[in-house]
């Protein structure tokens, strides 16, 4: 599984003169993950996927990135902003220093009025999502295109591209059940397996994701659901195998998407043992 954590910033070059090579490298890693049917165990903002596809960013895209700025710009769009004494400039905290950047040529001398506020909002969004990180996004896309031509992504929208790269965040338990296999004497109707799914349904989505990560190494589900779950050697269904005794904790084999589940004597013990294993990563095993 590929594991990537990243945040685009226009100031990365101030920290490392080789910063663009890192962005290009991450782009290659993400493309390699897609090419081999693996998921990137990371989270990119939705506008990032639109930028990958060459789509325009709109005000609504700001909501999930910076809700305070989104609300401010929305207020400007819905009201007369002249009393705010705004100019066509944006302020940014750059290592403790507030730096003012003109959004257009001579922007520091252009007041935002009720007549030009639409241009101000568009210019701010252009600066926020495009201009200030243009070099970094270009480097990432170049790295991605080294493995997979960007033209191949044209068939996807931003939501589908997110699913393709990072999988589905919301876990469908019924789909999970449907594409699970059993070993060691367990079956879909075995009372321990029935208790297992009862426990999974009782968990919230966050804990289900933690359980999935405990067993498979990733908390995300492939774009087309559990039927496309990948193991170390290609497609590998989620597997529940009978193992151990009632006093043992469940253990995981992430290479094979398999959980070794002891034959517990009651539902509450199974649920408690399962939670302990996930929360403490107890019984974790690498094959």
């Amino acid at each position: 599984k590929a594991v990537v954590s990243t945040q685009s910033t226009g100031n990365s070059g101030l920290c490392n003169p080789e910063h663009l090579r890192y962005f290009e490298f991450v782009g290659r890693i993400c493309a390699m993950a897609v090419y081999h049917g693996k998921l990137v165990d990371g989270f990119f903002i939705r506008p990032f996927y639109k930028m990958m596809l060459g789509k325009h960013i709109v005000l609504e895209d700001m909501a999930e990135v910076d809700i305070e700025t989104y609300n401010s710009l929305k207020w400007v769009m819905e009201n007369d902003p002249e009393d705010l004494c705004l100019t066509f400039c944006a302020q940014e905290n750059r290592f403790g220093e507030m730096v003012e950047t003109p959004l257009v040529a001579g922007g520091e001398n252009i007041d935002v009025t009720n007549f030009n506020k639409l241009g101000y909002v568009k210019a701010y969004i252009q600066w926020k999502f495009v201009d200030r990180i243009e070099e970094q996004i270009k480097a990432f896309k170049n790295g991605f295109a080294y493995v997979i031509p960007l033209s191949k992504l044209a068939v996807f929208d931003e939501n589908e591209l997110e699913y393709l790269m990072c999988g589905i965040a919301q876990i469908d338990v019924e789909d999970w059940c449907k594409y699970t296999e059993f070993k060691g004497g367990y079956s879909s109707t075995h009372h321990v397996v029935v208790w297992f799914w009862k426990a999974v349904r009782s968990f919230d989505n966050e804990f289900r994701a933690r359980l999935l990560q405990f067993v498979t190494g990733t908390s995300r589900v492939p774009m087309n659901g559990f039927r496309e779950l990948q193991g170390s050697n290609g497609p590998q269904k989620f597997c529940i195998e009978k193992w151990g005794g009632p006093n043992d904790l469940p253990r995981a084999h992430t290479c094979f998407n398999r959980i070794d589940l002891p034959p517990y004597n009651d539902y509450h013990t199974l649920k408690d043992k399962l939670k302990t294993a996930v929360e403490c990563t107890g019984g974790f095993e690498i094959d």
Side-chain angles (χ1 to χ4, degrees), residues 187-207:
S187 67
S188 61
T189 58
H190 193 284
H191 64 275
V192 174
V193 173
V194 172
W195 290 339
F196 174 83
W197 293 121
K198 180 180 178 181
V200 172
R201 289 186 178 92
S202 73
F203 298 146
D204 59 23
N205 194 69
E206 179 182 354
F207 198 85

Side-chain angles (χ1 to χ4, degrees), residues 10 12 37 62 71 104 109 116 123 134 150 154 168 196 275:
S12 59
M62 181 79 73
N71 287 332
V104 297
N109 299 315
N116 64 14
E134 184 175 9
L150 295 177
I168 301 172
F196 174 83
K275 291 181 67 175

Side-chain angles (χ1 to χ4, degrees), residues 42-91:
F43 302 90
F44 297 102
I45 59 175
R46 187 60 54 82
F48 170 82
Y49 300 105
K50 295 185 73 172
M51 287 185 280
M52 283 287 292
L53 298 170
K55 292 187 174 182
H56 291 294
I57 310 299
V58 297
L59 178 57
E60 295 304 318
D61 294 318
M62 181 79 73
E64 68 176 82
V65 180
D66 186 341
I67 190 63
E68 184 176 340
T69 301
Y70 166 76
N71 287 332
S72 297
L73 293 177
K74 188 175 182 182
W75 189 93
V76 168
M77 289 297 297
E78 296 174 348
N79 299 274
D80 189 338
E82 291 193 29
D83 291 340
L84 299 178
C85 299
L86 296 172
T87 60
F88 273 65
C89 289
Q91 288 189 330

Side-chain angles (χ1 to χ4, degrees), residues 20 37 56 78 106 124 155 169 171 214 230 273:
L20 295 180
H56 291 294
E78 296 174 348
Y124 191 96
V155 297
I171 295 176
F214 170 72
Q230 297 287 315
K273 292 283 189 179

Side-chain angles (χ1 to χ4, degrees), residues 222-236:
M223 180 177 178
N224 292 318
F226 280 89
R227 65 180 177 179
E228 292 189 354
L229 201 63
Q230 297 287 315
S232 59
N233 297 314
Q236 180 70 60

Side-chain angles (χ1 to χ4, degrees), residues 129-160:
F129 288 109
V130 181
D131 295 346
R132 62 195 287 266
I133 58 172
E134 184 175 9
E135 289 186 337
Q136 290 89 340
I137 292 296
K138 182 179 179 181
F140 182 96
K141 292 171 71 172
N142 286 342
F144 195 98
Y146 184 85
V147 181
I148 300 176
L150 295 177
S151 60
K152 300 294 185 182
L153 303 181
V155 297
F156 303 106
D157 63 22
E158 58 272 19
N159 297 314
E160 293 168 336

